[in-house]
Amino acid sequence: MDSEIIVNKEKLENSPLEINYLGDRSLRQSAKRVSKVDNDIRQLVRKMLQTMYTADGIGLAAPQVTVQKQVIVIDCEPDNSATPPLVLINPTIKDYSNDTCLFQEGCLSIPGVYLDVKRPSTIEVAYKDENGRPQTLQAQELLSRAIQHEIDHLEGKLMVDYLSTLKRDRIRNKLNKRI
Ligand code: GNR
Ligand code: NI
């Protein structure tokens, strides 16, 4: 019952939140653990889903919308109404594979920039779902990527942090000219 409100992609009303861009302070602060998964948290999740779908992203972390809480939404198949989005509250990575892979990442907070980032291929993550129930998940491929990218956001980390400072400054300059 509770989760029904957030899995129906067509029924989300259209009032997205504003997404913060590189340079915004909230992207650099670490998010606080959620002590109780209540209706306020579920309302935040709904808003985050609206925002993610409107922005055509496959994931969103609360600090991207200036909420310093450990809340993540992910949907690797946004156009498939049969697959529900994933909601991860207080996620922790329990295990990483030793093998790594390169994958080209994008970020809604760094629009137009796509970077090859090296990360562990597969992960095991523990979290609470939107009903406050503890869950664990083995993730690979795009889902593994998205989860690692979003957990970085909760720690104030961005994909440009994997670059040299020279390359990062070039991207910052490029963005400042454009915005
Ligand atoms: O929409 C997004 N696509 C994406 C592609 C590869 C790896 C990670 C991502 S997440 C990103 C949305 C976003 O910025 N989430 O924080
Ligand atoms: Ni991002």
PDB file of all heavy atoms in Angstrom, residues 56-61 64 103-109 142 145-146 149-150 153, ligand 1:
ATOM      1  N   ASP A  56      15.135  13.690 -16.912  1.00  0.00           N
ATOM      2  CA  ASP A  56      15.660  12.582 -17.731  1.00  0.00           C
ATOM      3  C   ASP A  56      16.921  11.963 -17.154  1.00  0.00           C
ATOM      4  O   ASP A  56      17.843  11.611 -17.899  1.00  0.00           O
ATOM      5  CB  ASP A  56      15.925  13.044 -19.172  1.00  0.00           C
ATOM      6  CG  ASP A  56      14.673  12.996 -20.018  1.00  0.00           C
ATOM      7  OD1 ASP A  56      13.829  12.117 -19.767  1.00  0.00           O
ATOM      8  OD2 ASP A  56      14.546  13.842 -20.919  1.00  0.00           O
ATOM      9  N   GLY A  57      16.967  11.818 -15.847  1.00  0.00           N
ATOM     10  CA  GLY A  57      18.095  11.144 -15.212  1.00  0.00           C
ATOM     11  C   GLY A  57      17.711   9.730 -14.820  1.00  0.00           C
ATOM     12  O   GLY A  57      16.526   9.387 -14.775  1.00  0.00           O
ATOM     13  N   ILE A  58      18.709   8.919 -14.506  1.00  0.00           N
ATOM     14  CA  ILE A  58      18.429   7.555 -14.022  1.00  0.00           C
ATOM     15  C   ILE A  58      18.637   7.455 -12.513  1.00  0.00           C
ATOM     16  O   ILE A  58      18.460   6.388 -11.931  1.00  0.00           O
ATOM     17  CB  ILE A  58      19.277   6.490 -14.747  1.00  0.00           C
ATOM     18  CG1 ILE A  58      20.775   6.741 -14.535  1.00  0.00           C
ATOM     19  CG2 ILE A  58      18.928   6.444 -16.233  1.00  0.00           C
ATOM     20  CD1 ILE A  58      21.628   5.504 -14.744  1.00  0.00           C
ATOM     21  N   GLY A  59      19.042   8.558 -11.892  1.00  0.00           N
ATOM     22  CA  GLY A  59      19.232   8.563 -10.449  1.00  0.00           C
ATOM     23  C   GLY A  59      19.229   9.980  -9.912  1.00  0.00           C
ATOM     24  O   GLY A  59      19.421  10.937 -10.669  1.00  0.00           O
ATOM     25  N   LEU A  60      18.975  10.099  -8.607  1.00  0.00           N
ATOM     26  CA  LEU A  60      19.027  11.409  -7.962  1.00  0.00           C
ATOM     27  C   LEU A  60      19.291  11.196  -6.474  1.00  0.00           C
ATOM     28  O   LEU A  60      18.703  10.301  -5.856  1.00  0.00           O
ATOM     29  CB  LEU A  60      17.708  12.166  -8.159  1.00  0.00           C
ATOM     30  CG  LEU A  60      17.706  13.645  -7.757  1.00  0.00           C
ATOM     31  CD1 LEU A  60      18.497  14.494  -8.756  1.00  0.00           C
ATOM     32  CD2 LEU A  60      16.277  14.179  -7.650  1.00  0.00           C
ATOM     33  N   ALA A  61      20.170  12.012  -5.911  1.00  0.00           N
ATOM     34  CA  ALA A  61      20.468  11.952  -4.478  1.00  0.00           C
ATOM     35  C   ALA A  61      19.956  13.242  -3.841  1.00  0.00           C
ATOM     36  O   ALA A  61      20.012  14.318  -4.450  1.00  0.00           O
ATOM     37  CB  ALA A  61      21.972  11.805  -4.260  1.00  0.00           C
ATOM     38  N   GLN A  64      21.364  16.817  -4.134  1.00  0.00           N
ATOM     39  CA  GLN A  64      21.218  17.518  -5.419  1.00  0.00           C
ATOM     40  C   GLN A  64      20.017  18.453  -5.418  1.00  0.00           C
ATOM     41  O   GLN A  64      19.924  19.345  -6.265  1.00  0.00           O
ATOM     42  CB  GLN A  64      21.082  16.507  -6.570  1.00  0.00           C
ATOM     43  CG  GLN A  64      22.367  15.734  -6.844  1.00  0.00           C
ATOM     44  CD  GLN A  64      22.202  14.746  -7.984  1.00  0.00           C
ATOM     45  OE1 GLN A  64      21.676  13.661  -7.800  1.00  0.00           O
ATOM     46  NE2 GLN A  64      22.625  15.135  -9.180  1.00  0.00           N
ATOM     47  N   PHE A 103      33.385   3.290 -17.156  1.00  0.00           N
ATOM     48  CA  PHE A 103      32.033   3.505 -17.673  1.00  0.00           C
ATOM     49  C   PHE A 103      31.852   5.015 -17.810  1.00  0.00           C
ATOM     50  O   PHE A 103      32.290   5.768 -16.943  1.00  0.00           O
ATOM     51  CB  PHE A 103      31.020   2.922 -16.691  1.00  0.00           C
ATOM     52  CG  PHE A 103      29.623   2.828 -17.219  1.00  0.00           C
ATOM     53  CD1 PHE A 103      29.175   1.661 -17.836  1.00  0.00           C
ATOM     54  CD2 PHE A 103      28.747   3.901 -17.088  1.00  0.00           C
ATOM     55  CE1 PHE A 103      27.878   1.573 -18.314  1.00  0.00           C
ATOM     56  CE2 PHE A 103      27.450   3.815 -17.570  1.00  0.00           C
ATOM     57  CZ  PHE A 103      27.006   2.640 -18.182  1.00  0.00           C
ATOM     58  N   GLN A 104      31.216   5.437 -18.893  1.00  0.00           N
ATOM     59  CA  GLN A 104      31.031   6.871 -19.085  1.00  0.00           C
ATOM     60  C   GLN A 104      29.819   7.351 -18.281  1.00  0.00           C
ATOM     61  O   GLN A 104      28.700   6.916 -18.517  1.00  0.00           O
ATOM     62  CB  GLN A 104      30.843   7.194 -20.565  1.00  0.00           C
ATOM     63  CG  GLN A 104      31.058   8.676 -20.828  1.00  0.00           C
ATOM     64  CD  GLN A 104      30.989   9.003 -22.306  1.00  0.00           C
ATOM     65  OE1 GLN A 104      29.953   8.848 -22.947  1.00  0.00           O
ATOM     66  NE2 GLN A 104      32.100   9.449 -22.853  1.00  0.00           N
ATOM     67  N   GLU A 105      30.088   8.233 -17.318  1.00  0.00           N
ATOM     68  CA  GLU A 105      29.036   8.734 -16.440  1.00  0.00           C
ATOM     69  C   GLU A 105      28.631  10.159 -16.800  1.00  0.00           C
ATOM     70  O   GLU A 105      29.435  10.946 -17.280  1.00  0.00           O
ATOM     71  CB  GLU A 105      29.513   8.712 -14.968  1.00  0.00           C
ATOM     72  CG  GLU A 105      29.837   7.316 -14.482  1.00  0.00           C
ATOM     73  CD  GLU A 105      30.074   7.246 -12.986  1.00  0.00           C
ATOM     74  OE1 GLU A 105      29.713   8.186 -12.248  1.00  0.00           O
ATOM     75  OE2 GLU A 105      30.625   6.206 -12.546  1.00  0.00           O
ATOM     76  N   GLY A 106      27.375  10.450 -16.541  1.00  0.00           N
ATOM     77  CA  GLY A 106      26.873  11.810 -16.622  1.00  0.00           C
ATOM     78  C   GLY A 106      26.330  12.174 -15.255  1.00  0.00           C
ATOM     79  O   GLY A 106      26.158  11.300 -14.409  1.00  0.00           O
ATOM     80  N   CYS A 107      26.074  13.456 -15.025  1.00  0.00           N
ATOM     81  CA  CYS A 107      25.512  13.891 -13.738  1.00  0.00           C
ATOM     82  C   CYS A 107      24.593  15.076 -13.981  1.00  0.00           C
ATOM     83  O   CYS A 107      24.976  16.035 -14.655  1.00  0.00           O
ATOM     84  CB  CYS A 107      26.633  14.275 -12.772  1.00  0.00           C
ATOM     85  SG  CYS A 107      26.014  14.759 -11.146  1.00  0.00           S
ATOM     86  N   LEU A 108      23.404  15.012 -13.426  1.00  0.00           N
ATOM     87  CA  LEU A 108      22.441  16.106 -13.607  1.00  0.00           C
ATOM     88  C   LEU A 108      22.960  17.415 -13.016  1.00  0.00           C
ATOM     89  O   LEU A 108      22.512  18.484 -13.402  1.00  0.00           O
ATOM     90  CB  LEU A 108      21.093  15.739 -12.968  1.00  0.00           C
ATOM     91  CG  LEU A 108      20.334  14.576 -13.636  1.00  0.00           C
ATOM     92  CD1 LEU A 108      19.132  14.179 -12.787  1.00  0.00           C
ATOM     93  CD2 LEU A 108      19.909  14.937 -15.051  1.00  0.00           C
ATOM     94  N   SER A 109      23.913  17.330 -12.090  1.00  0.00           N
ATOM     95  CA  SER A 109      24.484  18.533 -11.478  1.00  0.00           C
ATOM     96  C   SER A 109      25.672  19.077 -12.268  1.00  0.00           C
ATOM     97  O   SER A 109      26.213  20.125 -11.916  1.00  0.00           O
ATOM     98  CB  SER A 109      24.912  18.236 -10.034  1.00  0.00           C
ATOM     99  OG  SER A 109      23.763  17.938  -9.252  1.00  0.00           O
ATOM    100  N   LEU A 142      24.810  -1.188 -15.106  1.00  0.00           N
ATOM    101  CA  LEU A 142      24.356   0.197 -14.929  1.00  0.00           C
ATOM    102  C   LEU A 142      23.850   0.475 -13.510  1.00  0.00           C
ATOM    103  O   LEU A 142      24.100   1.547 -12.948  1.00  0.00           O
ATOM    104  CB  LEU A 142      23.268   0.517 -15.969  1.00  0.00           C
ATOM    105  CG  LEU A 142      22.769   1.957 -15.977  1.00  0.00           C
ATOM    106  CD1 LEU A 142      23.902   2.945 -16.257  1.00  0.00           C
ATOM    107  CD2 LEU A 142      21.656   2.133 -17.012  1.00  0.00           C
ATOM    108  N   ARG A 145      26.705   1.044 -11.152  1.00  0.00           N
ATOM    109  CA  ARG A 145      27.230   2.380 -11.452  1.00  0.00           C
ATOM    110  C   ARG A 145      26.415   3.463 -10.779  1.00  0.00           C
ATOM    111  O   ARG A 145      26.912   4.369 -10.119  1.00  0.00           O
ATOM    112  CB  ARG A 145      27.079   2.660 -12.965  1.00  0.00           C
ATOM    113  CG  ARG A 145      28.214   2.322 -13.770  1.00  0.00           C
ATOM    114  CD  ARG A 145      29.387   3.159 -13.386  1.00  0.00           C
ATOM    115  NE  ARG A 145      30.546   2.317 -13.485  1.00  0.00           N
ATOM    116  CZ  ARG A 145      31.784   2.751 -13.487  1.00  0.00           C
ATOM    117  NH1 ARG A 145      32.051   4.039 -13.382  1.00  0.00           N
ATOM    118  NH2 ARG A 145      32.783   1.929 -13.548  1.00  0.00           N
ATOM    119  N   ALA A 146      25.100   3.374 -11.048  1.00  0.00           N
ATOM    120  CA  ALA A 146      24.195   4.422 -10.557  1.00  0.00           C
ATOM    121  C   ALA A 146      24.246   4.477  -9.024  1.00  0.00           C
ATOM    122  O   ALA A 146      24.330   5.560  -8.442  1.00  0.00           O
ATOM    123  CB  ALA A 146      22.776   4.162 -11.053  1.00  0.00           C
ATOM    124  N   HIS A 149      27.524   6.035  -7.881  1.00  0.00           N
ATOM    125  CA  HIS A 149      27.488   7.471  -8.192  1.00  0.00           C
ATOM    126  C   HIS A 149      26.625   8.224  -7.177  1.00  0.00           C
ATOM    127  O   HIS A 149      27.013   9.286  -6.679  1.00  0.00           O
ATOM    128  CB  HIS A 149      26.948   7.639  -9.627  1.00  0.00           C
ATOM    129  CG  HIS A 149      26.756   9.044 -10.089  1.00  0.00           C
ATOM    130  ND1 HIS A 149      27.550   9.634 -11.052  1.00  0.00           N
ATOM    131  CD2 HIS A 149      25.850  10.003  -9.738  1.00  0.00           C
ATOM    132  CE1 HIS A 149      27.139  10.869 -11.258  1.00  0.00           C
ATOM    133  NE2 HIS A 149      26.109  11.127 -10.478  1.00  0.00           N
ATOM    134  N   GLU A 150      25.460   7.661  -6.846  1.00  0.00           N
ATOM    135  CA  GLU A 150      24.548   8.339  -5.910  1.00  0.00           C
ATOM    136  C   GLU A 150      25.092   8.320  -4.475  1.00  0.00           C
ATOM    137  O   GLU A 150      24.947   9.308  -3.743  1.00  0.00           O
ATOM    138  CB  GLU A 150      23.154   7.700  -5.936  1.00  0.00           C
ATOM    139  CG  GLU A 150      22.444   7.689  -7.281  1.00  0.00           C
ATOM    140  CD  GLU A 150      22.439   9.011  -8.010  1.00  0.00           C
ATOM    141  OE1 GLU A 150      22.570  10.071  -7.370  1.00  0.00           O
ATOM    142  OE2 GLU A 150      22.327   8.983  -9.239  1.00  0.00           O
ATOM    143  N   HIS A 153      27.363  11.078  -3.980  1.00  0.00           N
ATOM    144  CA  HIS A 153      26.657  12.349  -3.724  1.00  0.00           C
ATOM    145  C   HIS A 153      26.354  12.512  -2.230  1.00  0.00           C
ATOM    146  O   HIS A 153      26.449  13.623  -1.692  1.00  0.00           O
ATOM    147  CB  HIS A 153      25.342  12.418  -4.496  1.00  0.00           C
ATOM    148  CG  HIS A 153      25.462  12.913  -5.907  1.00  0.00           C
ATOM    149  ND1 HIS A 153      25.993  14.148  -6.236  1.00  0.00           N
ATOM    150  CD2 HIS A 153      25.111  12.354  -7.083  1.00  0.00           C
ATOM    151  CE1 HIS A 153      25.946  14.314  -7.550  1.00  0.00           C
ATOM    152  NE2 HIS A 153      25.424  13.234  -8.100  1.00  0.00           N
TER     153      HIS A 153
HETATM  154  O1  GNR B   1      21.262  10.361 -15.169  1.00  0.00           O
HETATM  155  C1  GNR B   1      22.336   9.916 -14.790  1.00  0.00           C
HETATM  156  N1  GNR B   1      22.997   9.024 -15.564  1.00  0.00           N
HETATM  157  C2  GNR B   1      24.121   8.323 -15.137  1.00  0.00           C
HETATM  158  C3  GNR B   1      24.872   7.637 -16.098  1.00  0.00           C
HETATM  159  C4  GNR B   1      25.979   6.922 -15.717  1.00  0.00           C
HETATM  160  C5  GNR B   1      26.344   6.862 -14.390  1.00  0.00           C
HETATM  161  C6  GNR B   1      25.638   7.544 -13.434  1.00  0.00           C
HETATM  162  C7  GNR B   1      24.513   8.271 -13.803  1.00  0.00           C
HETATM  163  S1  GNR B   1      23.589   9.092 -12.599  1.00  0.00           S
HETATM  164  C8  GNR B   1      22.911  10.391 -13.507  1.00  0.00           C
HETATM  165  C9  GNR B   1      21.928  11.194 -12.693  1.00  0.00           C
HETATM  166  C10 GNR B   1      22.664  11.874 -11.554  1.00  0.00           C
HETATM  167  O2  GNR B   1      23.377  12.827 -11.683  1.00  0.00           O
HETATM  168  N2  GNR B   1      22.530  11.357 -10.370  1.00  0.00           N
HETATM  169  O3  GNR B   1      23.212  11.876  -9.335  1.00  0.00           O
END
